Amino acid sequence: MDLERLCSASRVVIVAGKGGVGKTTVTAALAVAAARTGLSVLIVEVEGKSGLAACFQQPPLTYEEAELRPNLRARTLTPDDALVEYLRDHGLRRIGRRLSNSGALEVVSTAVPGMKDILVLGKVKQLERAHAADLILLDAPAAGHAVQFLLSARGLLDAVTVGPVRKQASDVVELLTDPSRCQVMLVTLPEETPVNELVDTAYAIEDRAGVTLGPIVVNGCVSAVDGLRTSTNGTGAAAVRADATLAGIELRDGDVDALATAAAFRVALRTRQQEQRARLAARLPLPQIELPFLFTADVGPSEIDVLADALTVGVEAMDAVPQ
């Protein structure tokens, strides 16, 4: 499968995952990779604190669209702004401003659970219907909130029988349950707890919210290193020394031990990660896209490009790897 075909399968892709798994960086990487194919891409940030703008070394996003790269734009969506725009479009600009400034939306959202989420999703639906971009990427809330976020429209359908709120909820459900318009891409780390939470989230999204799941992105994977020799019986240091001698490099004993320990750690980590990926595949038979571990705490444009390259390669390999 090529990336353009994957990104054209649904006009809206919701990227979701447990907090800390790199959901936002994956969103940025997918956006860059899709934009490279010539698709116009719009990233929608819904929580306002995801750090998405920092990935492109840009100032914080606002409700107005900002161009990040050729073919790539981004904006943030808040319930207040979405409500003000909705009322403005219906000739009620002053009322919208007063509601927002007075904090009345907090009162309404408390009385009607899911109201904030439906305002945001309703705006996403509007952007999708208006063909604001070939691909709209939604950087969703962390996994715990993401399920409720996607279930909000169904909850309002049960609670509201008539009126514009029900119409909005019905339109959002129609968007979320149409695989040609929307799918969810889940992100995880190859570790036990994130994998467990992803599986639970996946079943909740598919069974309860009725949203189609795309391939799973497994982030933070260390790669296998050709020729890396290690052993748990003490020959790791001997292997390091032999390789150093072969390369004409002189190492101190302390350096040899440190390199042998590092090699053993990396091989063991790779093994554990592959075990978790196999466990994930057994519990959730969806294609997996592997993204590399970034040996830096600062993720900027160059790191996003590295992830975009890996994501493109991973998508192309999906058909070749049995799932």
Side-chain angles (χ1 to χ4, degrees), residues 121-133:
L121 286 169
K123 179 59 181 178
V124 173
K125 176 263 302 179
Q126 181 186 9
L127 291 170
E128 185 267 342
R129 280 187 173 176
H131 298 283

Side-chain angles (χ1 to χ4, degrees), residues 128-141:
E128 185 267 342
R129 280 187 173 176
H131 298 283
D134 297 323
L135 175 65
I136 298 173
L137 294 177
L138 183 64
D139 186 10

Side-chain angles (χ1 to χ4, degrees), residues 3 19 34 36-38 50 52 76 89 93-94 192 196 221 227 268 275 314:
L3 187 69
R36 289 175 181 174
T37 69
S50 71
L52 182 64
T76 188
D89 293 343
R93 180 191 298 267
R94 290 184 178 179
E192 183 174 2
N196 289 342
C221 297
E275 289 172 352

